Amino acid sequence: MPTAKTKHTNEWQNKQMQDGNSKDRFVILGQEIKLGESAVIEMEVAKLHTRNSLSIPIIVERASCEGPVLLLMGGVHGDEINGVAIVRDLIRKKINKPTRGTVICIPVFNVFGYLNQQREFPDGRDLNRMFPGTAKGSLASQFAHKFTEEIAPLVDYILDFHTGGGNRYNYPNIRCDFKQTEMVRLAKIFGAPFVVHSNYIAKSIRETINKMGKSILLFEGGKSLQLDQSVVKCGVEGTLNLMKHLKMQDGEIKIEEEPIVLKDSKWLRAPYSGIFEPLVNNGCRVQRKAIIGRISDPYGEFEKKIYAPFNGYIFGVNTAPIVYKGDAIFHVSVEENTHVD
């Protein structure tokens, strides 16, 4: 008896055939792109109050020979600029022109949020919690549905580029579910400093793509509303490594240092309210009981040190100068066989 996941995957494959796609044909949003061709296709997002249409460009590059279909997407959250810049640089450097297969680029997925420099859609919803969406749901749900129906069935692999939200700065890392050994292998080939275990979140793009039987990696680097060239460089080089592995680009895979694998992690929360000062560098390893930060009041009468409760790597830091008790301040890996208070 077929599993639910297999049944779901077959439905998408049947739809792809019905839309005119076969081994020798590639049709996206109603437009056929032949081997060796490229196209920029407008995908309508919504009708505005002025009756004008708002759309996003889908940039497609096909090599002269068949191969995998890779989707590169940024800006799922409109204020996460590093992801947009990574896809931009991949296009600017012509890395998105494969020697084999097809590359689809969506530099700005949530165009509403990007224009407003906000995380959410205009209806206040987080687009990455609206998948697979519905045809008659909210604005964000309708857009998620259109992507799920018309773009996702065509792809084999997805790289989804994100940054830390709010005041959180994420050290460059690639995230996947460690129960999927092939995904872990691809994550290591990407070559970001950290490979982090991440469960699938309900109604996210990752969960939907996984249910469709396809492969997706999520890159995190930097923080929202900030452009960090070192993060952009990491994302571009990692994408090139993955494309080389998939034989979509020529050359050798280049990884400066073996990625550090983080199987478990925990956000440390502020034990007090006050002025927050990190005392360690993001990306470093800390020992249990090491001083990693401090919180003080504005009057010079109160100062409390923050200690690492276990051994691990810090790969996310709250950059807000003022925090409340309970705010997440450090994202730290939890090493095996270490004591947790």
Side-chain angles (χ1 to χ4, degrees):
M1 179 179 294
T3 64
K5 181 174 179 179
T6 303
K7 181 179 179 181
H8 194 68
T9 303
N10 290 338
E11 288 174 356
W12 293 116
Q13 291 173 340
N14 291 337
K15 184 180 187 304
Q16 185 173 338
M17 294 296 291
Q18 292 168 5
D19 289 343
N21 283 305
S22 63
K23 183 178 180 181
D24 300 319
R25 298 188 72 220
F26 187 82
V27 180
I28 180 171
L29 296 171
Q31 180 173 333
E32 180 178 0
I33 303 172
K34 297 180 180 179
L35 291 173
E37 292 185 345
S38 61
V40 178
I41 305 169
E42 296 293 325
M43 176 179 169
E44 185 175 299
V45 177
K47 291 286 187 181
L48 302 178
H49 304 295
T50 56
R51 294 191 298 179
N52 299 98
S53 295
L54 184 65
S55 60
I56 58 172
I58 311 292
I59 302 164
V60 185
E61 295 283 350
R62 291 197 77 196
S64 57
C65 59
E66 287 286 358
V69 179
L70 171 65
L71 171 61
L72 308 172
M73 59 191 298
V76 172
H77 296 125
D79 58 355
E80 297 183 359
I81 310 304
N82 283 326
V84 176
I86 290 170
V87 182
R88 175 209 62 187
D89 273 16
L90 290 166
I91 297 169
R92 186 164 63 182
K93 296 179 180 182
K94 302 187 186 306
I95 295 172
N96 69 314
K97 293 181 178 290
T99 57
R100 185 177 76 101
T102 302
V103 175
I104 303 171
C105 287
I106 307 179
V108 183
F109 192 67
N110 178 359
V111 66
F112 277 116
Y114 183 75
L115 291 173
N116 296 322
Q117 289 296 273
Q118 295 177 348
R119 180 182 178 88
E120 298 86 5
F121 241 56
D123 57 11
R125 291 173 170 84
D126 183 339
L127 180 58
N128 205 21
R129 299 295 182 271
M130 300 305 297
F131 287 83
T134 59
K136 296 182 180 181
S138 67
L139 181 62
S141 182
Q142 289 180 48
F143 183 56
H145 176 74
K146 190 175 183 68
F147 170 83
T148 304
E149 289 286 320
E150 301 193 36
I151 304 294
L154 306 177
V155 306
D156 301 306
Y157 301 91
I158 294 180
L159 283 174
D160 184 15
F161 299 100
H162 288 257
T163 74
N167 291 307
R168 298 176 182 179
Y169 187 104
N170 288 331
Y171 203 79
N173 65 84
I174 199 88
R175 301 186 181 188
C176 62
D177 186 344
F178 280 15
K179 294 188 292 291
Q180 298 173 301
T181 55
E182 176 60 16
M183 295 305 299
V184 176
R185 189 171 76 92
L186 293 176
K188 291 180 179 179
I189 290 169
F190 187 94
F194 295 110
V195 176
V196 181
H197 168 68
S198 177
N199 292 318
Y200 290 102
I201 299 174
K203 297 185 178 181
S204 66
I205 293 176
R206 283 183 65 226
E207 183 196 51
T208 296
I209 293 300
N210 179 62
K211 286 182 177 179
M212 294 170 69
K214 300 168 184 295
S215 300
I216 180 169
L217 293 175
L218 188 147
F219 175 83
E220 287 274 359
K223 60 179 289 188
S224 60
L225 296 177
Q226 185 180 78
L227 187 62
D228 190 316
Q229 292 298 336
S230 64
V231 171
V232 173
K233 181 174 181 287
C234 180
V236 170
E237 291 178 349
T239 301
L240 185 56
N241 279 339
L242 188 64
M243 290 182 68
K244 288 176 179 178
H245 170 72
L246 297 173
K247 309 300 181 185
M248 301 180 76
Q249 285 288 357
D250 298 327
E252 295 183 1
I253 295 171
K254 296 180 181 179
I255 301 175
E256 293 184 5
E257 294 185 18
E258 188 71 18
I260 298 169
V261 177
L262 308 181
K263 297 180 180 180
D264 191 15
S265 61
K266 179 180 180 180
W267 272 102
L268 306 183
R269 299 190 175 275
Y272 312 95
S273 299
I275 298 173
F276 170 58
E277 299 172 87
L279 299 178
V280 292
N281 293 325
N282 202 354
C284 75
R285 186 176 183 276
V286 295
Q287 296 283 347
R288 180 174 179 260
K289 295 187 177 182
I291 299 172
I292 57 178
R294 65 185 171 205
I295 294 176
S296 59
D297 71 355
Y299 311 110
E301 298 176 351
F302 169 90
E303 180 175 300
K304 295 292 184 178
K305 295 181 177 62
I306 302 168
Y307 298 89
F310 40 78
N311 300 340
Y313 287 90
I314 293 176
F315 63 99
V317 176
N318 191 331
T319 62
I322 299 173
V323 298
Y324 285 99
K325 182 179 180 180
D327 285 353
I329 51 176
F330 291 106
H331 202 179
V332 188
S333 67
V334 181
E335 295 183 357
E336 294 181 359
N337 302 320
T338 60
H339 176 74
V340 179
D341 291 331

